[in-house]
Amino acid sequence: MKKIMMLALAVTTSLAAAQTVRVGMAYDAGGKADKSFNQSAYEGASRAAKQLGIQTKDFEPSDPSQNIQGVRSFAKEGFDLTIGVGFANNASISTVAKENPDLYFGLIDDVSTAKNVASLVFNEEQGSYLVGYLAGMNSSTGVVGFVGGMDIPLIHKFEAGYTAGVKAANPKARVFAQYVGTTPAAWNNPAKARDIASSLKARGADIIFAAAGGSGSGVVDYVRQTQCLKATQLPSGVNFSSDNFKNVAKSAGYKTACTGETRPMFFIGVDSNQNYLGDFDKNPGTLNHGLTSMLKRVDNAVYALIRDVKAGKFKGGERRFGLKEGGVGYAVDEYNRSLISSEQVLKVEAAKVQIMSGAIKVPTK
C-alpha cells in the first residue's frame, strides 16, 4: 500500500511539473536592467513567477540580428509563451509564431499578423500629455526639452503628447525635441543623450523629458552635474518667469553649485518610475531633480498576458493599454511630492478624466 501511495505521489508531482507554464522573455536593446522599458517587462514576468508559480527564462541579445535565434530557441524547447519585448522583435516573433501555431507568443509595442500572437500596445501619448502638463506648469523659463531615443513613429507619440500637454498648461511655452539616432543603437547611447541635454539647456530648457530607453541615463547624469540654470547663462529672449520651488529645501551641494539667481533643473523619467534617480543627495526631504515619470505599465500588460495563458484564456490579436486600462500614467511619490502641489495634481487629474472621456483628443504625431 505504501508503494502505491508513493507511486501516486510521484505521478502527481510529475504532472504538476509538466503543467508548469514556462515563459521566455526576449528583451530589446538595452537589456532587462535598463531601468526603463525592458526592466518594466522583466518586473512583470518576475511578479508572475512569484505569484502565479510560472517559470521564466531570459534572452538578452547583444545585437538585434540575434533576436530570432533567441525566440526560436524558446519555441524549440516548447515554451508555452514567448514574449518579444519591443517593436524590433516583431519580425522574429511573427516568423516563429507562424512556424509554431500550437504555441503562444506575445509582442510589446507593435502588432503582429500571426494569429497566435497577443500584441500589447499602449497609448503613450496620453501619459506623455499628463507629464507635459506638469512640465508646462512648472517650467521657470517657459522652455522645455524632449530627448527621444530612436527616431520612429512610436517615440513620436511620446513627443506629440508631451508637447500637447505642455501647451495646454502654458500656451506660450516652447518645446524643443531632439533624437539620439535612427538605429536600435539609439536606445543605448547615454553619451549622445547627455550632449543633447546640454544643447537643450543652452536653449533655456529647465525640464527635459527623456523617452530614450537606456540612453535616458545620460540626461539624468547631465542634470546631476548641472543641477540648475543660472540667469547669467540664459540665452537671449529667455528669462525666469516663475520660482515654484523657492521654498523646497535644498541640499548643501545644490546651494554651493547654484548661487545667485538660479532655478533648478529637472528630468522627467519614462516607462518605469524613475523619480528616485533624481535624489542626488540620497535625501528625499530635499529638492528632487526628477519632476515626475511617465509610467508605461509594461509590467501590468506582461503579467496579465501570462495570467491568461496560465488560466487557459490566451487570445491573439491587439490588446491596447491606455489611461482607461491603467496602461499609462504619471508618478507622484515621496521623491517628488514636494515639487507638485495638490492644486497641480487636481488639474492633471481633471485632464486625465477629459482624455478618458474623449473631450481631449491627444495627438500621436
Side-chain angles (χ1 to χ4, degrees):
M1 186 68 177
K2 186 176 180 181
K3 288 184 178 180
I4 294 175
M5 290 179 65
M6 290 179 66
L7 180 60
L9 179 61
V11 170
T12 301
T13 302
S14 297
L15 286 172
Q19 292 170 354
T20 299
V21 171
R22 294 188 299 162
V23 179
M25 298 292 295
Y27 291 96
D28 202 355
K32 65 183 181 183
D34 65 355
K35 299 180 181 179
S36 184
F37 176 77
N38 286 277
Q39 183 168 322
S40 184
Y42 171 74
E43 289 171 354
S46 298
R47 189 187 346 149
K50 183 178 181 180
Q51 297 182 4
L52 304 178
I54 59 100
Q55 293 179 3
T56 64
K57 185 176 181 180
D58 300 330
F59 176 76
E60 298 179 88
S62 57
D63 184 270
S65 64
Q66 299 175 341
N67 287 5
I68 194 163
Q69 70 186 55
V71 173
R72 192 166 273 145
S73 68
F74 290 134
K76 285 182 178 179
E77 292 181 47
F79 273 61
D80 303 279
L81 173 66
T82 298
I83 299 177
V85 182
F87 72 93
N89 274 298
N90 192 339
S92 300
I93 287 288
S94 297
T95 297
V96 179
K98 291 173 182 177
E99 294 171 352
N100 299 272
D102 56 327
L103 298 177
Y104 298 140
F105 297 82
L107 175 65
I108 298 172
D109 270 356
D110 209 355
V111 179
S112 171
T113 57
K115 294 180 179 179
N116 54 331
V117 177
S119 300
L120 314 180
V121 291
F122 299 79
N123 292 121
E124 294 92 352
E125 72 281 359
Q126 294 180 349
S128 297
Y129 182 100
L130 301 182
V131 299
Y133 202 95
L134 283 168
M137 287 191 289
N138 285 297
S139 175
S140 63
T141 60
V143 180
V144 300
F146 175 85
V147 177
M150 190 174 173
D151 192 350
I152 52 174
L154 172 65
I155 306 303
H156 297 167
K157 291 169 66 180
F158 286 87
E159 180 191 345
Y162 177 64
T163 300
V166 171
K167 295 286 188 179
N170 181 2
K172 295 182 179 179
R174 287 181 285 170
V175 182
F176 294 111
Q178 241 176 298
Y179 287 77
V180 174
T182 58
T183 69
W187 304 120
N188 198 26
N189 190 347
K192 178 67 179 294
R194 189 178 185 283
D195 290 341
I196 293 173
S198 176
S199 69
L200 291 171
K201 176 179 176 288
R203 302 178 81 168
D206 59 339
I207 300 173
I208 300 175
F209 178 27
S215 294
S217 64
V219 175
V220 176
D221 287 342
Y222 183 76
V223 174
R224 178 185 289 110
Q225 177 196 10
T226 308
Q227 296 198 59
C228 61
L229 283 76
K230 298 182 178 181
T232 55
Q233 298 174 335
L234 293 177
S236 177
V238 177
N239 301 290
F240 292 139
S241 57
S242 64
D243 194 3
N244 289 6
F245 311 103
K246 180 180 180 180
N247 297 321
V248 178
K250 313 293 194 305
S251 69
Y254 181 92
K255 291 177 181 178
T256 299
C258 301
T259 57
E261 184 69 5
T262 64
R263 298 291 186 276
M265 191 169 185
F266 302 94
F267 66 85
I268 293 177
V270 73
D271 297 334
S272 299
N273 183 350
Q274 298 179 328
N275 292 354
Y276 70 96
L277 295 175
D279 183 18
F280 300 149
D281 66 337
K282 305 302 180 185
N283 180 3
T286 57
L287 180 89
N288 191 68
H289 291 270
L291 181 67
T292 186
S293 295
M294 196 293 274
L295 303 178
K296 180 173 174 179
R297 300 307 303 268
V298 178
D299 57 333
N300 287 349
V302 167
Y303 181 88
L305 178 58
I306 295 174
R307 183 187 59 205
D308 286 353
V309 170
K310 182 175 175 62
K313 297 180 179 179
F314 174 87
K315 185 178 180 181
E318 181 180 317
R319 296 176 62 176
R320 184 163 292 278
F321 298 84
L323 285 174
K324 285 183 179 180
E325 297 77 20
V328 295
Y330 66 103
V332 176
D333 58 15
E334 63 176 314
Y335 293 102
N336 69 337
R337 196 165 283 115
S338 64
L339 306 177
I340 300 172
S341 68
S342 57
E343 290 80 9
Q344 288 185 356
V345 170
L346 287 174
K347 289 180 180 180
V348 175
E349 287 299 312
K352 182 177 175 180
V353 170
Q354 288 183 294
I355 292 172
M356 290 191 290
S357 71
I360 293 177
K361 298 188 184 302
V362 183
T364 58
K365 57 184 178 180

